[in-house]
mmCIF file with all atom_site columns, all heavy atoms in Angstrom:
data_model
loop_
_atom_site.group_PDB
_atom_site.id
_atom_site.type_symbol
_atom_site.label_atom_id
_atom_site.label_alt_id
_atom_site.label_comp_id
_atom_site.label_asym_id
_atom_site.label_entity_id
_atom_site.label_seq_id
_atom_site.pdbx_PDB_ins_code
_atom_site.Cartn_x
_atom_site.Cartn_y
_atom_site.Cartn_z
_atom_site.occupancy
_atom_site.B_iso_or_equiv
_atom_site.pdbx_formal_charge
_atom_site.auth_seq_id
_atom_site.auth_comp_id
_atom_site.auth_asym_id
_atom_site.auth_atom_id
_atom_site.pdbx_PDB_model_num
ATOM 1   N N   . LYS A 1 1  ? 0.797  -1.222 0.000   1.00 97.00 ? 1  LYS A N   1
ATOM 2   C CA  . LYS A 1 1  ? 0.000  0.000  0.000   1.00 97.00 ? 1  LYS A CA  1
ATOM 3   C C   . LYS A 1 1  ? 0.832  1.277  0.000   1.00 97.00 ? 1  LYS A C   1
ATOM 4   O O   . LYS A 1 1  ? 0.280  2.378  -0.025  1.00 97.00 ? 1  LYS A O   1
ATOM 5   C CB  . LYS A 1 1  ? -0.926 0.010  1.220   1.00 97.00 ? 1  LYS A CB  1
ATOM 6   C CG  . LYS A 1 1  ? -1.793 -1.245 1.385   1.00 97.00 ? 1  LYS A CG  1
ATOM 7   C CD  . LYS A 1 1  ? -2.755 -1.429 0.240   1.00 97.00 ? 1  LYS A CD  1
ATOM 8   C CE  . LYS A 1 1  ? -3.692 -2.614 0.501   1.00 97.00 ? 1  LYS A CE  1
ATOM 9   N NZ  . LYS A 1 1  ? -4.653 -2.811 -0.602  1.00 97.00 ? 1  LYS A NZ  1
ATOM 10  N N   . GLY A 1 2  ? 2.148  1.155  0.048   1.00 97.00 ? 2  GLY A N   1
ATOM 11  C CA  . GLY A 1 2  ? 2.991  2.350  0.091   1.00 97.00 ? 2  GLY A CA  1
ATOM 12  C C   . GLY A 1 2  ? 3.172  2.981  -1.272  1.00 97.00 ? 2  GLY A C   1
ATOM 13  O O   . GLY A 1 2  ? 2.676  2.469  -2.283  1.00 97.00 ? 2  GLY A O   1
ATOM 14  N N   . PRO A 1 3  ? 3.885  4.126  -1.350  1.00 97.00 ? 3  PRO A N   1
ATOM 15  C CA  . PRO A 1 3  ? 4.149  4.779  -2.629  1.00 97.00 ? 3  PRO A CA  1
ATOM 16  C C   . PRO A 1 3  ? 4.806  3.818  -3.611  1.00 97.00 ? 3  PRO A C   1
ATOM 17  O O   . PRO A 1 3  ? 5.626  2.982  -3.220  1.00 97.00 ? 3  PRO A O   1
ATOM 18  C CB  . PRO A 1 3  ? 5.090  5.926  -2.254  1.00 97.00 ? 3  PRO A CB  1
ATOM 19  C CG  . PRO A 1 3  ? 4.809  6.190  -0.813  1.00 97.00 ? 3  PRO A CG  1
ATOM 20  C CD  . PRO A 1 3  ? 4.478  4.852  -0.212  1.00 97.00 ? 3  PRO A CD  1
ATOM 21  N N   . SER A 1 4  ? 4.460  3.948  -4.891  1.00 97.00 ? 4  SER A N   1
ATOM 22  C CA  . SER A 1 4  ? 4.964  3.014  -5.901  1.00 97.00 ? 4  SER A CA  1
ATOM 23  C C   . SER A 1 4  ? 5.192  3.773  -7.203  1.00 97.00 ? 4  SER A C   1
ATOM 24  O O   . SER A 1 4  ? 4.239  4.183  -7.853  1.00 97.00 ? 4  SER A O   1
ATOM 25  C CB  . SER A 1 4  ? 3.968  1.872  -6.113  1.00 97.00 ? 4  SER A CB  1
ATOM 26  O OG  . SER A 1 4  ? 4.428  0.963  -7.086  1.00 97.00 ? 4  SER A OG  1
ATOM 27  N N   . TYR A 1 5  ? 6.462  3.970  -7.549  1.00 94.00 ? 5  TYR A N   1
ATOM 28  C CA  . TYR A 1 5  ? 6.738  4.692  -8.786  1.00 94.00 ? 5  TYR A CA  1
ATOM 29  C C   . TYR A 1 5  ? 8.152  4.409  -9.287  1.00 94.00 ? 5  TYR A C   1
ATOM 30  O O   . TYR A 1 5  ? 8.977  3.831  -8.575  1.00 94.00 ? 5  TYR A O   1
ATOM 31  C CB  . TYR A 1 5  ? 6.528  6.192  -8.628  1.00 94.00 ? 5  TYR A CB  1
ATOM 32  C CG  . TYR A 1 5  ? 7.034  6.802  -7.350  1.00 94.00 ? 5  TYR A CG  1
ATOM 33  C CD1 . TYR A 1 5  ? 8.371  7.150  -7.199  1.00 94.00 ? 5  TYR A CD1 1
ATOM 34  C CD2 . TYR A 1 5  ? 6.164  7.066  -6.302  1.00 94.00 ? 5  TYR A CD2 1
ATOM 35  C CE1 . TYR A 1 5  ? 8.822  7.735  -6.032  1.00 94.00 ? 5  TYR A CE1 1
ATOM 36  C CE2 . TYR A 1 5  ? 6.610  7.652  -5.128  1.00 94.00 ? 5  TYR A CE2 1
ATOM 37  C CZ  . TYR A 1 5  ? 7.939  7.989  -5.000  1.00 94.00 ? 5  TYR A CZ  1
ATOM 38  O OH  . TYR A 1 5  ? 8.392  8.560  -3.838  1.00 94.00 ? 5  TYR A OH  1
ATOM 39  N N   . THR A 1 6  ? 8.407  4.834  -10.512 1.00 96.00 ? 6  THR A N   1
ATOM 40  C CA  . THR A 1 6  ? 9.695  4.619  -11.168 1.00 96.00 ? 6  THR A CA  1
ATOM 41  C C   . THR A 1 6  ? 10.442 5.945  -11.296 1.00 96.00 ? 6  THR A C   1
ATOM 42  O O   . THR A 1 6  ? 9.859  6.958  -11.666 1.00 96.00 ? 6  THR A O   1
ATOM 43  C CB  . THR A 1 6  ? 9.504  3.993  -12.560 1.00 96.00 ? 6  THR A CB  1
ATOM 44  O OG1 . THR A 1 6  ? 8.816  2.754  -12.424 1.00 96.00 ? 6  THR A OG1 1
ATOM 45  C CG2 . THR A 1 6  ? 10.840 3.751  -13.238 1.00 96.00 ? 6  THR A CG2 1
ATOM 46  N N   . ILE A 1 7  ? 11.733 5.920  -10.972 1.00 96.00 ? 7  ILE A N   1
ATOM 47  C CA  . ILE A 1 7  ? 12.594 7.098  -11.034 1.00 96.00 ? 7  ILE A CA  1
ATOM 48  C C   . ILE A 1 7  ? 13.500 6.988  -12.259 1.00 96.00 ? 7  ILE A C   1
ATOM 49  O O   . ILE A 1 7  ? 14.130 5.951  -12.484 1.00 96.00 ? 7  ILE A O   1
ATOM 50  C CB  . ILE A 1 7  ? 13.469 7.207  -9.769  1.00 96.00 ? 7  ILE A CB  1
ATOM 51  C CG1 . ILE A 1 7  ? 12.595 7.303  -8.513  1.00 96.00 ? 7  ILE A CG1 1
ATOM 52  C CG2 . ILE A 1 7  ? 14.420 8.392  -9.863  1.00 96.00 ? 7  ILE A CG2 1
ATOM 53  C CD1 . ILE A 1 7  ? 11.797 8.560  -8.400  1.00 96.00 ? 7  ILE A CD1 1
ATOM 54  N N   . ASP A 1 8  ? 13.582 8.046  -13.040 1.00 95.00 ? 8  ASP A N   1
ATOM 55  C CA  . ASP A 1 8  ? 14.469 8.072  -14.202 1.00 95.00 ? 8  ASP A CA  1
ATOM 56  C C   . ASP A 1 8  ? 15.353 9.302  -14.119 1.00 95.00 ? 8  ASP A C   1
ATOM 57  O O   . ASP A 1 8  ? 14.913 10.423 -14.388 1.00 95.00 ? 8  ASP A O   1
ATOM 58  C CB  . ASP A 1 8  ? 13.657 8.076  -15.498 1.00 95.00 ? 8  ASP A CB  1
ATOM 59  C CG  . ASP A 1 8  ? 14.542 8.031  -16.742 1.00 95.00 ? 8  ASP A CG  1
ATOM 60  O OD1 . ASP A 1 8  ? 15.785 8.077  -16.605 1.00 95.00 ? 8  ASP A OD1 1
ATOM 61  O OD2 . ASP A 1 8  ? 13.989 7.940  -17.859 1.00 95.00 ? 8  ASP A OD2 1
ATOM 62  N N   . THR A 1 9  ? 16.601 9.107  -13.714 1.00 95.00 ? 9  THR A N   1
ATOM 63  C CA  . THR A 1 9  ? 17.588 10.191 -13.706 1.00 95.00 ? 9  THR A CA  1
ATOM 64  C C   . THR A 1 9  ? 18.828 9.752  -14.475 1.00 95.00 ? 9  THR A C   1
ATOM 65  O O   . THR A 1 9  ? 19.962 10.042 -14.080 1.00 95.00 ? 9  THR A O   1
ATOM 66  C CB  . THR A 1 9  ? 17.964 10.600 -12.269 1.00 95.00 ? 9  THR A CB  1
ATOM 67  O OG1 . THR A 1 9  ? 18.509 9.468  -11.580 1.00 95.00 ? 9  THR A OG1 1
ATOM 68  C CG2 . THR A 1 9  ? 16.755 11.114 -11.500 1.00 95.00 ? 9  THR A CG2 1
ATOM 69  N N   . ALA A 1 10 ? 18.592 8.994  -15.553 1.00 93.00 ? 10 ALA A N   1
ATOM 70  C CA  . ALA A 1 10 ? 19.679 8.478  -16.392 1.00 93.00 ? 10 ALA A CA  1
ATOM 71  C C   . ALA A 1 10 ? 20.586 7.552  -15.590 1.00 93.00 ? 10 ALA A C   1
ATOM 72  O O   . ALA A 1 10 ? 20.095 6.676  -14.893 1.00 93.00 ? 10 ALA A O   1
ATOM 73  C CB  . ALA A 1 10 ? 20.459 9.629  -17.034 1.00 93.00 ? 10 ALA A CB  1
ATOM 74  N N   . CYS A 1 11 ? 21.906 7.774  -15.641 1.00 94.00 ? 11 CYS A N   1
ATOM 75  C CA  . CYS A 1 11 ? 22.844 6.828  -15.037 1.00 94.00 ? 11 CYS A CA  1
ATOM 76  C C   . CYS A 1 11 ? 22.797 6.817  -13.515 1.00 94.00 ? 11 CYS A C   1
ATOM 77  O O   . CYS A 1 11 ? 23.381 5.929  -12.892 1.00 94.00 ? 11 CYS A O   1
ATOM 78  C CB  . CYS A 1 11 ? 24.268 7.131  -15.502 1.00 94.00 ? 11 CYS A CB  1
ATOM 79  S SG  . CYS A 1 11 ? 24.523 6.856  -17.267 1.00 94.00 ? 11 CYS A SG  1
ATOM 80  N N   . SER A 1 12 ? 22.129 7.785  -12.918 1.00 95.00 ? 12 SER A N   1
ATOM 81  C CA  . SER A 1 12 ? 22.016 7.808  -11.459 1.00 95.00 ? 12 SER A CA  1
ATOM 82  C C   . SER A 1 12 ? 20.662 7.288  -10.991 1.00 95.00 ? 12 SER A C   1
ATOM 83  O O   . SER A 1 12 ? 20.315 7.429  -9.810  1.00 95.00 ? 12 SER A O   1
ATOM 84  C CB  . SER A 1 12 ? 22.226 9.236  -10.936 1.00 95.00 ? 12 SER A CB  1
ATOM 85  O OG  . SER A 1 12 ? 21.255 10.116 -11.479 1.00 95.00 ? 12 SER A OG  1
ATOM 86  N N   . SER A 1 13 ? 19.894 6.661  -11.875 1.00 96.00 ? 13 SER A N   1
ATOM 87  C CA  . SER A 1 13 ? 18.518 6.262  -11.555 1.00 96.00 ? 13 SER A CA  1
ATOM 88  C C   . SER A 1 13 ? 18.436 5.340  -10.340 1.00 96.00 ? 13 SER A C   1
ATOM 89  O O   . SER A 1 13 ? 17.588 5.528  -9.462  1.00 96.00 ? 13 SER A O   1
ATOM 90  C CB  . SER A 1 13 ? 17.875 5.578  -12.761 1.00 96.00 ? 13 SER A CB  1
ATOM 91  O OG  . SER A 1 13 ? 17.731 6.467  -13.833 1.00 96.00 ? 13 SER A OG  1
ATOM 92  N N   . SER A 1 14 ? 19.293 4.329  -10.274 1.00 96.00 ? 14 SER A N   1
ATOM 93  C CA  . SER A 1 14 ? 19.193 3.361  -9.175  1.00 96.00 ? 14 SER A CA  1
ATOM 94  C C   . SER A 1 14 ? 19.513 4.006  -7.832  1.00 96.00 ? 14 SER A C   1
ATOM 95  O O   . SER A 1 14 ? 18.826 3.758  -6.834  1.00 96.00 ? 14 SER A O   1
ATOM 96  C CB  . SER A 1 14 ? 20.120 2.166  -9.422  1.00 96.00 ? 14 SER A CB  1
ATOM 97  O OG  . SER A 1 14 ? 21.469 2.579  -9.540  1.00 96.00 ? 14 SER A OG  1
ATOM 98  N N   . LEU A 1 15 ? 20.538 4.854  -7.790  1.00 95.00 ? 15 LEU A N   1
ATOM 99  C CA  . LEU A 1 15 ? 20.889 5.503  -6.532  1.00 95.00 ? 15 LEU A CA  1
ATOM 100 C C   . LEU A 1 15 ? 19.894 6.609  -6.190  1.00 95.00 ? 15 LEU A C   1
ATOM 101 O O   . LEU A 1 15 ? 19.665 6.894  -5.005  1.00 95.00 ? 15 LEU A O   1
ATOM 102 C CB  . LEU A 1 15 ? 22.309 6.057  -6.599  1.00 95.00 ? 15 LEU A CB  1
ATOM 103 C CG  . LEU A 1 15 ? 23.411 5.001  -6.745  1.00 95.00 ? 15 LEU A CG  1
ATOM 104 C CD1 . LEU A 1 15 ? 24.784 5.639  -6.727  1.00 95.00 ? 15 LEU A CD1 1
ATOM 105 C CD2 . LEU A 1 15 ? 23.304 3.948  -5.648  1.00 95.00 ? 15 LEU A CD2 1
ATOM 106 N N   . SER A 1 16 ? 19.289 7.227  -7.200  1.00 96.00 ? 16 SER A N   1
ATOM 107 C CA  . SER A 1 16 ? 18.227 8.197  -6.932  1.00 96.00 ? 16 SER A CA  1
ATOM 108 C C   . SER A 1 16 ? 17.014 7.491  -6.338  1.00 96.00 ? 16 SER A C   1
ATOM 109 O O   . SER A 1 16 ? 16.358 8.010  -5.425  1.00 96.00 ? 16 SER A O   1
ATOM 110 C CB  . SER A 1 16 ? 17.832 8.926  -8.221  1.00 96.00 ? 16 SER A CB  1
ATOM 111 O OG  . SER A 1 16 ? 18.883 9.741  -8.689  1.00 96.00 ? 16 SER A OG  1
ATOM 112 N N   . ALA A 1 17 ? 16.712 6.297  -6.851  1.00 97.00 ? 17 ALA A N   1
ATOM 113 C CA  . ALA A 1 17 ? 15.621 5.497  -6.284  1.00 97.00 ? 17 ALA A CA  1
ATOM 114 C C   . ALA A 1 17 ? 15.934 5.126  -4.838  1.00 97.00 ? 17 ALA A C   1
ATOM 115 O O   . ALA A 1 17 ? 15.056 5.141  -3.969  1.00 97.00 ? 17 ALA A O   1
ATOM 116 C CB  . ALA A 1 17 ? 15.409 4.237  -7.116  1.00 97.00 ? 17 ALA A CB  1
ATOM 117 N N   . MET A 1 18 ? 17.196 4.809  -4.577  1.00 96.00 ? 18 MET A N   1
ATOM 118 C CA  . MET A 1 18 ? 17.629 4.502  -3.210  1.00 96.00 ? 18 MET A CA  1
ATOM 119 C C   . MET A 1 18 ? 17.423 5.707  -2.297  1.00 96.00 ? 18 MET A C   1
ATOM 120 O O   . MET A 1 18 ? 16.959 5.572  -1.155  1.00 96.00 ? 18 MET A O   1
ATOM 121 C CB  . MET A 1 18 ? 19.113 4.114  -3.230  1.00 96.00 ? 18 MET A CB  1
ATOM 122 C CG  . MET A 1 18 ? 19.656 3.618  -1.919  1.00 96.00 ? 18 MET A CG  1
ATOM 123 S SD  . MET A 1 18 ? 19.258 1.889  -1.640  1.00 96.00 ? 18 MET A SD  1
ATOM 124 C CE  . MET A 1 18 ? 20.358 1.541  -0.267  1.00 96.00 ? 18 MET A CE  1
ATOM 125 N N   . ALA A 1 19 ? 17.737 6.898  -2.797  1.00 96.00 ? 19 ALA A N   1
ATOM 126 C CA  . ALA A 1 19 ? 17.577 8.113  -2.006  1.00 96.00 ? 19 ALA A CA  1
ATOM 127 C C   . ALA A 1 19 ? 16.109 8.382  -1.700  1.00 96.00 ? 19 ALA A C   1
ATOM 128 O O   . ALA A 1 19 ? 15.758 8.780  -0.582  1.00 96.00 ? 19 ALA A O   1
ATOM 129 C CB  . ALA A 1 19 ? 18.190 9.308  -2.747  1.00 96.00 ? 19 ALA A CB  1
ATOM 130 N N   . VAL A 1 20 ? 15.249 8.153  -2.691  1.00 97.00 ? 20 VAL A N   1
ATOM 131 C CA  . VAL A 1 20 ? 13.817 8.365  -2.481  1.00 97.00 ? 20 VAL A CA  1
ATOM 132 C C   . VAL A 1 20 ? 13.286 7.376  -1.446  1.00 97.00 ? 20 VAL A C   1
ATOM 133 O O   . VAL A 1 20 ? 12.526 7.748  -0.536  1.00 97.00 ? 20 VAL A O   1
ATOM 134 C CB  . VAL A 1 20 ? 13.053 8.227  -3.808  1.00 97.00 ? 20 VAL A CB  1
ATOM 135 C CG1 . VAL A 1 20 ? 11.549 8.213  -3.569  1.00 97.00 ? 20 VAL A CG1 1
ATOM 136 C CG2 . VAL A 1 20 ? 13.422 9.358  -4.759  1.00 97.00 ? 20 VAL A CG2 1
ATOM 137 N N   . GLY A 1 21 ? 13.680 6.105  -1.564  1.00 97.00 ? 21 GLY A N   1
ATOM 138 C CA  . GLY A 1 21 ? 13.252 5.101  -0.593  1.00 97.00 ? 21 GLY A CA  1
ATOM 139 C C   . GLY A 1 21 ? 13.742 5.420  0.807   1.00 97.00 ? 21 GLY A C   1
ATOM 140 O O   . GLY A 1 21 ? 13.005 5.265  1.791   1.00 97.00 ? 21 GLY A O   1
ATOM 141 N N   . TYR A 1 22 ? 14.985 5.877  0.910   1.00 96.00 ? 22 TYR A N   1
ATOM 142 C CA  . TYR A 1 22 ? 15.561 6.268  2.207   1.00 96.00 ? 22 TYR A CA  1
ATOM 143 C C   . TYR A 1 22 ? 14.756 7.405  2.833   1.00 96.00 ? 22 TYR A C   1
ATOM 144 O O   . TYR A 1 22 ? 14.424 7.377  4.023   1.00 96.00 ? 22 TYR A O   1
ATOM 145 C CB  . TYR A 1 22 ? 17.012 6.682  1.995   1.00 96.00 ? 22 TYR A CB  1
ATOM 146 C CG  . TYR A 1 22 ? 17.727 7.209  3.221   1.00 96.00 ? 22 TYR A CG  1
ATOM 147 C CD1 . TYR A 1 22 ? 18.385 6.352  4.087   1.00 96.00 ? 22 TYR A CD1 1
ATOM 148 C CD2 . TYR A 1 22 ? 17.752 8.581  3.488   1.00 96.00 ? 22 TYR A CD2 1
ATOM 149 C CE1 . TYR A 1 22 ? 19.044 6.838  5.206   1.00 96.00 ? 22 TYR A CE1 1
ATOM 150 C CE2 . TYR A 1 22 ? 18.399 9.069  4.606   1.00 96.00 ? 22 TYR A CE2 1
ATOM 151 C CZ  . TYR A 1 22 ? 19.055 8.200  5.457   1.00 96.00 ? 22 TYR A CZ  1
ATOM 152 O OH  . TYR A 1 22 ? 19.708 8.688  6.566   1.00 96.00 ? 22 TYR A OH  1
ATOM 153 N N   . ASP A 1 23 ? 14.431 8.408  2.020   1.00 96.00 ? 23 ASP A N   1
ATOM 154 C CA  . ASP A 1 23 ? 13.679 9.554  2.531   1.00 96.00 ? 23 ASP A CA  1
ATOM 155 C C   . ASP A 1 23 ? 12.263 9.164  2.951   1.00 96.00 ? 23 ASP A C   1
ATOM 156 O O   . ASP A 1 23 ? 11.721 9.704  3.919   1.00 96.00 ? 23 ASP A O   1
ATOM 157 C CB  . ASP A 1 23 ? 13.619 10.656 1.472   1.00 96.00 ? 23 ASP A CB  1
ATOM 158 C CG  . ASP A 1 23 ? 14.960 11.347 1.272   1.00 96.00 ? 23 ASP A CG  1
ATOM 159 O OD1 . ASP A 1 23 ? 15.805 11.275 2.189   1.00 96.00 ? 23 ASP A OD1 1
ATOM 160 O OD2 . ASP A 1 23 ? 15.179 11.941 0.197   1.00 96.00 ? 23 ASP A OD2 1
ATOM 161 N N   . LEU A 1 24 ? 11.653 8.234  2.220   1.00 97.00 ? 24 LEU A N   1
ATOM 162 C CA  . LEU A 1 24 ? 10.310 7.776  2.577   1.00 97.00 ? 24 LEU A CA  1
ATOM 163 C C   . LEU A 1 24 ? 10.311 7.102  3.956   1.00 97.00 ? 24 LEU A C   1
ATOM 164 O O   . LEU A 1 24 ? 9.384  7.289  4.753   1.00 97.00 ? 24 LEU A O   1
ATOM 165 C CB  . LEU A 1 24 ? 9.789  6.798  1.525   1.00 97.00 ? 24 LEU A CB  1
ATOM 166 C CG  . LEU A 1 24 ? 9.377  7.388  0.164   1.00 97.00 ? 24 LEU A CG  1
ATOM 167 C CD1 . LEU A 1 24 ? 9.068  6.274  -0.820  1.00 97.00 ? 24 LEU A CD1 1
ATOM 168 C CD2 . LEU A 1 24 ? 8.174  8.315  0.315   1.00 97.00 ? 24 LEU A CD2 1
ATOM 169 N N   . ILE A 1 25 ? 11.367 6.338  4.220   1.00 96.00 ? 25 ILE A N   1
ATOM 170 C CA  . ILE A 1 25 ? 11.464 5.663  5.517   1.00 96.00 ? 25 ILE A CA  1
ATOM 171 C C   . ILE A 1 25 ? 11.796 6.659  6.622   1.00 96.00 ? 25 ILE A C   1
ATOM 172 O O   . ILE A 1 25 ? 11.168 6.659  7.686   1.00 96.00 ? 25 ILE A O   1
ATOM 173 C CB  . ILE A 1 25 ? 12.526 4.542  5.463   1.00 96.00 ? 25 ILE A CB  1
ATOM 174 C CG1 . ILE A 1 25 ? 12.072 3.440  4.503   1.00 96.00 ? 25 ILE A CG1 1
ATOM 175 C CG2 . ILE A 1 25 ? 12.775 3.966  6.845   1.00 96.00 ? 25 ILE A CG2 1
ATOM 176 C CD1 . ILE A 1 25 ? 13.109 2.348  4.281   1.00 96.00 ? 25 ILE A CD1 1
ATOM 177 N N   . MET A 1 26 ? 12.764 7.541  6.385   1.00 95.00 ? 26 MET A N   1
ATOM 178 C CA  . MET A 1 26 ? 13.190 8.493  7.406   1.00 95.00 ? 26 MET A CA  1
ATOM 179 C C   . MET A 1 26 ? 12.101 9.501  7.745   1.00 95.00 ? 26 MET A C   1
ATOM 180 O O   . MET A 1 26 ? 12.043 10.015 8.867   1.00 95.00 ? 26 MET A O   1
ATOM 181 C CB  . MET A 1 26 ? 14.450 9.225  6.946   1.00 95.00 ? 26 MET A CB  1
ATOM 182 C CG  . MET A 1 26 ? 15.670 8.322  6.769   1.00 95.00 ? 26 MET A CG  1
ATOM 183 S SD  . MET A 1 26 ? 16.151 7.467  8.296   1.00 95.00 ? 26 MET A SD  1
ATOM 184 C CE  . MET A 1 26 ? 16.712 8.858  9.281   1.00 95.00 ? 26 MET A CE  1
ATOM 185 N N   . SER A 1 27 ? 11.229 9.806  6.786   1.00 95.00 ? 27 SER A N   1
ATOM 186 C CA  . SER A 1 27 ? 10.154 10.763 7.028   1.00 95.00 ? 27 SER A CA  1
ATOM 187 C C   . SER A 1 27 ? 8.955  10.127 7.713   1.00 95.00 ? 27 SER A C   1
ATOM 188 O O   . SER A 1 27 ? 8.006  10.827 8.087   1.00 95.00 ? 27 SER A O   1
ATOM 189 C CB  . SER A 1 27 ? 9.707  11.399 5.707   1.00 95.00 ? 27 SER A CB  1
ATOM 190 O OG  . SER A 1 27 ? 9.172  10.412 4.829   1.00 95.00 ? 27 SER A OG  1
#
């Protein structure tokens, strides 16, 4: 039931997704 989406920042996409997931947990 949590947020569900795809991040596209080119070559940094996977680590950007990691940052978004980290922020979702920390918030």
Side-chain angles (χ1 to χ4, degrees):
K1 307 297 185 180
S4 180
Y5 42 82
T6 301
I7 301 293
D8 183 356
T9 59
C11 294
S12 60
S13 295
S14 59
L15 295 183
S16 293
M18 187 81 167
V20 171
Y22 176 88
D23 288 339
L24 287 172
I25 294 175
M26 296 300 292
S27 63

